[in-house]
Amino acid sequence: MITSVLPAPRRADRAAADASATAWALAARNGDPHATEHFVRALHGDVLRYVARLSGDPQTAHDLTQDTFVRALDSLPGFEGRASARTWLLSIARRAVADSFRRAAARPRLADAHDWQLAVERAQPSGLPGFEDGIALLDLLETLPDERREAFVLTQVVGLPYDEAARFIGCPVGTIRSRVARARATLERLLREAETEAVQAT
């Protein structure tokens, strides 16, 4: 099952983590280096996974993550905590990816790499049960339409609640649920087909 490969954090755990990260962000507004370090550490993994999925270029995922945090730290004095720090940071990450697309469109591309495994290996520890299955599933995400992939990544990989993902993307929560359900159905079908092919090959 997909949920066993990419378990979403429990709502209570995610809410506590969001509250903690937001508190660190608010404390970091006044230049507290200790708070800034905790803010970056708390959300670095989420940003890295998100930009890797959106950008389609894992080779630049770390650069985009760094760019996101540079922008965020520059804008931090204006952060008031009306949204969680994670939602605020992911919106900055989204703009960083969009800007990278615009820059890439202005110059010729020498290669079109789609090595999702590299980004996933960098974003997650490799010693966890089900890690290889997780990589296989994440590889399949590139076959999804952009809107469904983003909804799935936000809710099932990053762990945003559906209502928060809907506010982040700017669409009704029912649309998010529909996109995730369709993405899940497609991924389940592709996984079943891959398993069948593997059995037949052996």
Side-chain angles (χ1 to χ4, degrees), residues 26-45:
L26 291 170
R29 291 186 305 174
N30 299 322
D32 180 348
H34 179 68
T36 301
E37 180 181 354
H38 278 277
F39 163 65
V40 172
R41 284 186 178 181
L43 297 171
H44 186 273

Side-chain angles (χ1 to χ4, degrees), residues 140-146 148-149 152 182-183 186-187 190:
L140 296 178
L141 282 174
E142 69 178 291
T143 66
L144 298 174
D146 291 345
R148 294 181 191 176
R149 182 172 65 242
F152 188 89
R182 291 181 181 183
T186 300
L187 293 171
L190 292 173

Side-chain angles (χ1 to χ4, degrees), residues 47-102:
V47 172
L48 181 59
R49 284 188 293 273
Y50 184 62
V51 299
R53 302 312 312 168
L54 284 189
S55 68
D57 185 359
Q59 304 298 327
T60 63
H62 287 273
D63 291 339
L64 287 168
T65 300
Q66 183 175 355
D67 182 24
T68 296
F69 278 101
V70 168
R71 295 181 186 206
L73 294 176
D74 286 344
S75 302
L76 200 53
F79 175 67
E80 298 180 354
R82 286 193 289 264
S84 72
R86 186 159 57 111
T87 299
W88 175 73
L89 193 58
L90 291 179
S91 68
I92 294 174
R94 197 182 202 189
R95 288 194 296 274
V97 172
D99 289 345
S100 76
F101 284 155
R102 282 191 284 271

